[in-house]
């Protein structure tokens, strides 16, 4: 309800919040400059959900937006109760990155700022080139682990972490990642695209996990004892074919959704999926065109591929 105070229209903060929440971040920043009261309302909206993209290039290797946000958090500790979503992404143009030690201070600074966000429920850290290393210069831990070590977010439900990956040119994850995940039993959604091995977690850890995005080997290690029914996998189709029998044996619940759009899939993979995961209701797939055309012209691919013996129509209701 609007009030008139000293001849001026006065709106409660709740109504201002309902109005401001529809504004863009740029508009909110402008509103924050009008008055102290507008600044208080606009900042609480701005800081409740943060999305930062930093471009990393040889001529500008510093993630300045992330650094400035870290400084702002330390100046606005009164707002930490409303900081619920933090999504930070560092993107590289493919040029050779700075030395690995260059990003150490920024990762540690980011970790210090995140440490205050005890009400965080969604976290994304994709740190681009920060984890690339020289074969002659290895770091003791992954760049993401440097941010997350000794961090605890009691209300965290969604976590997406990673960095650019090249075989032999990136630091592997260590026990720090395992300790972090084990300390967050409330996680429902997890994405780790650059982890290509099993996760040796205690069987009781992540017992609420329902969605995973990452490599086949990591997925197979997470399935036992957990209610994961939604998978989005990356890597090579040969890796997935290798672990599909394991996934079929250890999954306590049927897999309902499988996204293979990040894998160049051959016909052999589709047949293996149909054999070992017959309960799938939704399948997203990107076919390897060269192999598909080869099989088509040699007569291997036919209408029988999608016959009831391979893909039960009642189960595969959606194929993309």
């Amino acid at each position: 309800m609007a009030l008139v105070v000293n001849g001026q229209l006065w709106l409660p903060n709740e109504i201002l919040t309902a109005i401001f929440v529809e504004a863009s971040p740029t508009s909110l920043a402008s509103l924050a400059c009008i008055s102290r009261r507008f600044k208080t309302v606009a900042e609480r909206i701005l800081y409740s959900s943060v999305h930062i993209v930093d471009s990393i290039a040889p001529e500008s290797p510093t993630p300045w937006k992330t650094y400035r946000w870290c400084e702002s958090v330390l100046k606005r500790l009164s707002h930490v109760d409303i900081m619920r979503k933090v999504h930070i992404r560092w993107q590289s143009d493919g040029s050779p990155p700075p030395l690995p030690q260059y990003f150490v201070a920024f990762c540690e600074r980011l970790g210090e700022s995140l440490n205050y966000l005890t009400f965080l429920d969604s976290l994304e850290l994709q740190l681009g080139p920060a984890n690339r290393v020289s074969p002659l210069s290895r770091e003791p831990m992954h760049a993401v682990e440097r941010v997350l070590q000794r961090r605890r977010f009691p209300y965290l439900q969604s976590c997406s972490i990673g960095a650019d990956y090249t075989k032999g040119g990136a630091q592997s994850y260590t026990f720090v990642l395992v300790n972090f995940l084990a300390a967050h039993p409330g996680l429902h959604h997890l994405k780790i695209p650059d982890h290509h091995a099993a996760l040796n977690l205690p069987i009781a850890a992540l017992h609420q996990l329902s969605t995973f995005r990452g490599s086949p080997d990591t997925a197979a290690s997470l399935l036992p004892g957990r209610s994961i029914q939604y998978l989005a996998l990356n890597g090579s189709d040969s890796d997935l074919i290798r672990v599909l029998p394991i996934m079929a044996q250890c999954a306590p619940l049927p897999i309902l959704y499988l996204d293979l759009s990040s894998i160049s899939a051959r016909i052999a993979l589709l047949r293996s999926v149909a054999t070992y995961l017959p309960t799938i209701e939704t399948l997203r797939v990107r076919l390897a065109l060269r192999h598909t055309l080869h099989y088509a012209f040699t007569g291997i691919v036919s209408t029988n591929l999608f016959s009831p013996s391979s893909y039960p129509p009642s189960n595969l209701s959606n194929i993309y």
Side-chain angles (χ1 to χ4, degrees):
M1 181 177 66
L3 301 177
V4 177
V5 179
N6 296 328
Q8 296 183 348
L9 186 65
W10 184 88
L11 294 174
N13 284 352
E14 292 79 5
I15 294 181
L16 285 179
T17 300
I19 297 171
F20 287 8
V21 76
E22 302 296 332
S24 66
T26 303
S27 299
L28 286 171
S30 299
L31 287 168
C33 298
I34 294 176
S35 67
R36 290 182 179 180
R37 186 156 171 260
F38 275 26
K39 179 180 179 181
T40 299
V41 175
E43 280 192 347
R44 290 186 69 85
I45 298 173
L46 278 170
Y47 282 90
S48 65
S49 182
V50 174
H51 297 261
I52 296 174
V53 178
D54 269 309
S55 297
I56 308 296
E59 62 275 11
S60 180
T62 302
W64 283 115
K65 294 179 183 178
T66 302
Y67 180 80
R68 294 188 186 103
W69 175 79
C70 291
E71 295 297 302
S72 298
V73 169
L74 297 179
K75 294 177 182 177
R76 294 168 174 82
L77 295 181
S78 60
H79 291 352
V80 297
D81 62 313
I82 50 91
M83 297 183 187
R84 305 298 174 89
K85 292 179 173 60
V86 174
H87 295 185
I88 294 177
R89 183 176 291 270
W90 297 352
Q91 296 180 342
S92 171
D93 61 359
S95 304
L99 293 175
Q101 294 81 3
Y102 181 83
F103 294 103
V104 169
F106 296 106
C107 291
E108 292 177 346
R109 188 61 164 171
L110 178 56
E112 292 171 2
S113 299
L114 288 174
N115 194 46
Y116 291 98
L117 310 189
T118 54
F119 293 94
L120 200 66
D121 62 45
S122 179
L123 175 65
E124 177 183 354
L125 295 176
Q126 297 297 330
L127 300 186
N131 197 52
R132 296 184 195 171
V133 295
S134 165
L136 301 179
S137 174
R138 310 296 294 185
E139 286 295 304
M141 67 180 70
H142 194 285
V144 168
E145 293 178 321
R146 194 175 293 280
V147 177
L148 297 179
Q149 61 176 332
R150 296 186 297 276
R151 306 295 172 235
R152 176 80 169 86
F153 308 109
Y155 301 97
L156 192 64
Q157 296 185 26
S158 177
C159 183
S160 172
I161 55 178
D164 292 349
Y165 176 82
T166 54
K167 192 172 183 179
Q171 169 63 43
S172 301
Y173 287 96
T174 68
F175 68 92
V176 175
L177 174 63
V178 173
N179 291 345
F180 174 79
L181 294 176
H184 292 81
L187 269 178
H188 291 270
H189 313 287
L190 177 62
K191 179 180 179 181
I192 319 177
D194 62 334
H195 190 281
H196 299 277
L199 270 173
N200 297 316
L201 282 167
I203 194 66
L206 300 182
H207 63 277
Q208 297 187 47
L209 195 65
S210 61
T211 303
F212 174 73
R213 297 174 180 269
S215 73
D217 285 286
T218 307
S221 68
L222 286 173
L223 284 175
R226 299 177 179 92
S227 55
I228 300 174
Q229 293 189 287
Y230 302 86
L231 290 174
L233 303 177
N234 58 20
S236 68
D237 66 344
S238 57
D239 287 338
L240 180 52
I241 291 174
R242 173 174 50 81
V243 302
L244 270 174
I246 302 173
M247 295 171 66
Q249 292 176 2
C250 66
L253 294 178
I255 304 299
L256 301 180
Y257 178 94
L258 182 62
D259 185 347
L260 303 180
S261 59
S262 295
I263 296 177
S264 185
R266 295 172 295 172
I267 298 300
L269 174 59
L270 299 184
R271 288 174 172 163
S272 295
V273 169
T275 300
Y276 292 106
L277 302 177
T279 58
I280 291 177
E281 296 178 354
T282 301
L283 173 66
R284 298 189 65 188
V285 63
R286 177 171 61 89
L287 292 173
L289 183 60
R290 179 171 61 87
H291 293 286
T292 305
L293 290 176
H294 167 74
Y295 289 135
F297 287 126
T298 55
I300 295 179
V301 176
S302 69
T303 56
N304 292 331
L305 178 63
F306 296 98
S307 67
S309 61
S310 298
Y311 288 92
S314 60
N315 291 333
L316 278 182
S317 57
N318 300 293
I319 301 178
Y320 298 98

